[in-house]
Amino acid sequence: MKNFKNNFKSPRERLLEEIRKRVPVEPDSEDENNQSISDTSTSFEKISQVESCSELTNLDETHSTWKYIVIVLSTVVSLLCLGLLVWLTLYITGWRKSTPISKLPFWNSEVGYWVDVFAFKDSNGDLVGDLNGFLSEVNYIKGVIGSGFVILGPITKGFYSNPHNMIGLVEDYEELDEAVGTINDFRHLLRRFHEKDLKVVLTFDFNSVSIDHKWIKEDRIKPKLFDNSLKNKISRYGKSPSVDIYAQKYYSVFGSPSVDLDLTDINTQNAIFDVVHYWMREGIDGILLDNAAYFVEQEERQETQKKVFSCPQAEETYTYGSVKFIEKVRQEIDKWMKTSGKKVLLGVNAGDTWCDLTGRPDPMLIFREVADVIIIREFLPNRGCKENFPTTKNLTCKYHSYQDAYKQKLGLTVSTSSFPSRKDVLSLAASLLLPGIPIIYYGAELGMASLNRGRRPEKLYPQGKSYHNEDLLDYGSILSHQPMPWDTSGQRFSGAINDSSFKDYVKKNIKSEVVENVVGRQCEQTVYDLVQRLINLRQNPTFKSGTMEELSSFKDYEKYYYGVFVRRAPGFPTFVIVLMRYTTSNFVLDFRYICSSVSVRLVYPSIPNLPANNELRCPEIHIVNRTLSNQIIVLQCN
């Protein structure tokens, strides 16, 4: 008990006890004892005065300071524990289920802009677009459109400038076409785009090369041999599929003067890998492989031969041989990323395959495990078929059948380098609002649609040329390569235009506004304004990485040809999307079981009783249509 009490003595008492120990007390008598006590008291008083004025005071002050330190530390620890508890609660309840936007690759967090550089803008007066002209519009791409990466169509040697008066050939993968500029022009463009935080992706067609390609002349690679099983076929564009090179017959899916490469040959593969590494060393941010559907075609049996190859079946193309080749390209890119620490995109595009979709899911999904981005054709006219096949009422019918994990790899676009746009605003809105990677093909932001196959600008790019010498009346891929309509006069496309040629082209070929008429105008009824608002909406994390659900409760309205979807992401606002085809009917959409109240974020075209940026306490939407038009509505749950 004594020790217990001693443990609880105050610091002052302990010091006094220590002082007593320092002063010896040895009394011989009572007087001496009294004197000693008196002396001790005197000594104690003297020492006490000194100690109490210095050490004791300091000790009390030190003890008081420690009390405050303990209080502060206790408060900090308590706050840390509380914060940890809150974080664990949010984590367990799913707040962190969505990938942080900052961690997403650029292709999953940005909108792409796909460009034919030859058709975009001319800087040197030859009426053909080039790299310097493209660079001069970087502010339009980044600041006005709001894109985060660009996909450049093929720009290597031979694509435009070749002795065969056609578009689409390749004579050298490591040199640029003389019409587009020099390698120094490209390096300057790449540097400037990176300064603007714009990524640059290049397109390569490794399916076929020109018979004038340096690999053919140097006998470096192995073209695909032509055998008798193909003798009854014709090429993709109606020509013979055989090509004679040095008295040997080779195969060509597009016909002479191109020849298909044998992508199963190791020497050919190594030559292609050298090309991939060359451009990655130059600093590009990604590669899009075009005509991937034809890379390794299935060898046909005698009983399954077809006389016409213009409409191939999926079992003839989209083979696992093509998957294996792209997987090897993937491995080369992965090696580069490991050593450089830089993310590099690998995308695939089917190319011009005519009508291989019809009512089936897009067979491009065969590449889902080896590519980062797969250009699918769900929102192209007739789903990528150039004949008028019947289309379903719901424009997203096939899209909904895909697994959610695959949707994040789907490149969503309404036009490609082979399929021109048809100005379908519902498809355009779907490509920007549904899960996937939105890619705007140049001109689509204006509603650009080249509908006149028989008219090609003779003075302007493509200056009368066609894609692989295709017959325009039957095919029309060249309609995806029309000059960008910057203005009516054409002066912004090329300063060398001094006649009415561009004005005539815009009037007869382009069914859209020109850039100068829509940029800077506050007009909510243009496709351009719609695209800008959709891209702004897409900056919300819900659209970048959230889930999508089609609301089956609205099936009663199928006669209106529309879809209703909900986009959700834990910790972020929920959005309801309504896409409705032509109707003048009035009806009610009730979202009370989804949201307690909603804010109207977008209405296109405008509806008098549903103003944008307006909060509705009752999420019951009365649709009043007075004109026959498509309708796009985006609501945000409050």
Side-chain angles (χ1 to χ4, degrees), residues 58 67 119 127 305 334 336 351 384 442 468 495 508 510 528 541 591 598 602 606 626:
N58 290 339
K67 285 196 300 184
L127 303 180
Q305 286 186 25
D334 288 345
W336 171 263
Y442 80 99
H468 284 287
K508 296 175 182 178
I510 306 300
Y528 167 80
F591 301 112
V598 297
L602 185 148
S606 60
R626 297 178 180 176

Side-chain angles (χ1 to χ4, degrees), residues 564-577:
V564 180
F565 321 101
V566 176
R567 296 295 312 270
R568 293 186 176 94
F572 299 105
T574 295
F575 290 86
V576 179
I577 302 165

Side-chain angles (χ1 to χ4, degrees), residues 433 529-530 533-534 537 599-604 610 612-613 632-635:
L433 292 174
D529 179 76
L530 170 66
R533 287 188 285 162
L534 289 172
L537 270 176
S599 294
V600 182
R601 295 296 303 275
L602 185 148
V603 180
Y604 178 90
L610 197 63
N613 302 316
I632 301 163
I633 302 171
V634 181
L635 309 170

Side-chain angles (χ1 to χ4, degrees), residues 13 15-25 40 44:
E13 289 174 331
L15 183 59
L16 290 174
E17 184 175 292
E18 184 66 22
I19 292 171
R20 291 191 184 97
K21 292 178 181 180
R22 296 181 193 176
V23 181
V25 180
T40 301
F44 171 75

Side-chain angles (χ1 to χ4, degrees), residues 140 423 443-448 484-485 512-515 518 527-528:
Y140 172 80
K423 196 177 180 178
E445 73 272 21
L446 304 170
M448 180 175 166
M484 178 72 172
S512 74
E513 295 275 6
V514 296
V515 174
V518 294
V527 176
Y528 167 80

Side-chain angles (χ1 to χ4, degrees), residues 206-217:
F206 291 131
N207 178 71
S208 61
V209 297
S210 169
I211 58 175
D212 301 316
H213 195 286
K214 72 173 186 177
W215 290 349
I216 302 294
K217 294 179 178 180

